[in-house]
Amino acid sequence: MAASAVVGALACQVDSYLRNFETTVVSCRQIKTAPPSKASKKSKLPTTPSDDTQECFEVELKDTILFPEGGGQPSDHGVIATPDAEFPVLAIRRALLTALHQVPKHIEPNTLVKLEVDWKRRFDHMQQHSGQHLISAILDQMEVPTLAWSLGEKVSYVELPRKLTDEEVLEVEDRCNDVIRQGIDIWVEVPDKDLVNKNKLPDDYDAERGILRVVHIGNLDANPCCGTHLKNTREMGSITLLHQLPIRGLNSRLHFMIGDRVREYARESNNLTRALNSRLSCQTEEIELKISRLESQLRDSLKREKLWMADVVKAEAARVNEELKLVKKSYVYRGDIVGLDYFNSLVVEMGKLEPNSGVVILASGAGKNGGALLVIGDGADKVASKIRDDCIIKALKGGGKGAKWQGKITQWEKGEVESLEAFFDRLEV
Ligand SMILES: [Zn+2]
């Protein structure tokens, strides 16, 4: 006989509405670090501290109202209170048939403890989990089996063997909400073990010594499950089906939210809509039209910019070539751009730079945005080395050989643009 209640017959599974509970500590042992919780990791729910210098203990209790993760449902959060102290419990894991509660301090065996479950989190999990059973039951009737499911922090999903059509999604949602309104009872049955489909049991669950439960939704559904469930479909409030995402070939993840999450989602959507109304200065019905107009304006602007840029490049290339002919050096600085694209176009427009044509210094960017430096022509690498050696631009990195050197300027410091210009004026070619 096990000293504690087995997973399958824990107090939280027998009566999922217990919020407080008294029990005793059976054992407590230190573990090196909190073992990573798979479900929690997946759903980004908080886990026990990962800092391995922190102490962590696993407590086995005579019985518990804190659900260990299982059946796709993440572990509860709660509090264990001894007569002298209170400890947060942020992870409970199942080890074979035993629930182990992770706490930051050692608790002596036989200590009488009081448990409290984080009811908001638990009730939310019950809404999502019972709701998932309902969605899957309706999908089963439409001959779409559920292959897997995940209870996420904000949004959950069922994985299906194919993408549903928009009409099917609406139909499933309508039928689920109809069942919710009918107020159908949900209950747990512990039938004869031979009658239970054991395919869905975890590999390490001892079916002989454990308890096999079947969760019923009226006559609609009977599903082997270890989770904590609502008593009536009415407690789900409502079900909203969201987007689908393709996964593993033809499979599709149908996302959903249930109960209080639907209200939260409506609140967030409303806030977003109001922000868009204000930013775009328009009514909700006009948002799409307004964005289309902005997109079209942006496309036109980019087209215009390209044309103007071509004109500017042409004029600048002519000026540079003229200067090279006259004084064998030229300098271009553009504070309004950061990268090298403009200079690359300029170099193409200038045409081939023959040896002994002179040297061109091209610099871009300003202040904290940084910029680029391109030196081309006779002894370009030596000119660039001099700029670096003389510390004219401190945050300059780059390289090149012979007639081409290019580099990045992480940031322009005050006065550096002027220093570069003065350097160019002094430059003898
Ligand atoms: Zn389940």
Side-chain angles (χ1 to χ4, degrees), residues 274-312:
R274 285 174 57 191
L276 285 171
N277 293 147
S278 152
R279 293 284 292 274
L280 298 169
S281 309
C282 69
Q283 298 296 315
T284 305
E285 311 75 62
E286 296 163 342
I287 289 176
E288 264 199 287
L289 181 69
K290 198 97 184 195
I291 289 177
S292 297
R293 270 191 209 144
L294 286 173
E295 281 173 340
S296 146
Q297 281 168 8
L298 179 65
R299 268 196 303 273
D300 289 348
S301 298
L302 288 173
K303 234 186 257 169
R304 254 197 317 271
E305 186 188 305
K306 222 174 162 183
L307 288 172
W308 287 351
M309 187 71 93
D311 283 350
V312 173

Side-chain angles (χ1 to χ4, degrees), residues 91-275:
I92 305 109
R93 71 178 181 99
R94 178 180 67 81
L96 301 176
L97 291 174
T98 309
L100 296 173
H101 308 67
Q102 291 175 10
V103 291
K105 288 271 182 310
H106 178 80
I107 308 176
E108 274 301 312
N110 296 319
T111 306
L112 188 70
V113 291
K114 285 183 178 164
L115 304 182
E116 188 182 342
V117 65
D118 175 344
W119 180 248
K120 192 171 186 299
R121 175 182 162 91
R122 156 67 81 69
F123 189 69
D124 169 61
H125 288 174
M126 283 160 66
Q127 284 185 317
Q128 309 314 309
H129 197 161
S130 297
Q132 177 266 318
H133 279 220
L134 174 55
I135 294 169
S136 293
I138 300 293
L139 284 165
D140 273 343
Q141 290 179 352
M142 294 163 69
E143 292 180 2
V144 183
T146 298
L147 307 175
W149 86 288
S150 170
L151 199 168
E153 200 176 348
K154 278 200 146 186
V155 179
S156 305
Y157 67 79
V158 282
E159 187 172 328
L160 310 175
R162 67 170 173 88
K163 187 176 191 280
L164 299 186
T165 63
D166 291 349
E167 292 75 27
E168 284 174 321
V169 173
L170 265 183
E171 186 188 338
V172 175
E173 192 181 82
D174 282 347
R175 285 171 65 178
C176 284
N177 284 295
D178 192 41
V179 172
I180 291 173
R181 276 190 295 272
Q182 287 173 39
I184 293 177
D185 283 339
I186 301 171
W187 77 92
V188 177
E189 182 199 6
V190 182
D192 192 292
K193 278 179 186 163
D194 296 336
L195 300 175
V196 180
N197 175 4
K198 298 180 187 68
N199 292 341
K200 286 187 177 174
L201 285 177
D203 293 341
D204 63 346
Y205 191 82
D206 184 344
E208 284 311 308
R209 290 174 54 231
I211 305 282
L212 306 187
R213 312 156 81 235
V214 174
V215 177
H216 292 259
I217 305 178
N219 296 322
L220 192 72
D221 187 47
N223 215 339
C225 180
C226 66
T228 56
H229 284 273
L230 302 171
K231 283 180 180 162
N232 189 287
T233 57
R234 209 174 272 133
E235 289 173 284
M236 290 177 201
S238 68
I239 285 182
T240 293
L241 299 181
L242 306 162
H243 56 290
Q244 293 183 79
L245 280 181
I247 183 89
R248 284 187 271 276
L250 293 177
N251 287 7
S252 176
R253 281 181 179 169
L254 173 63
H255 293 78
F256 64 86
M257 49 176 63
I258 296 167
D260 296 345
R261 292 188 182 198
V262 177
R263 279 194 303 147
E264 184 61 28
Y265 184 65
R267 200 167 20 241
E268 282 174 11
S269 301
N270 186 42
N271 288 343
L272 178 64
T273 308
R274 285 174 57 191

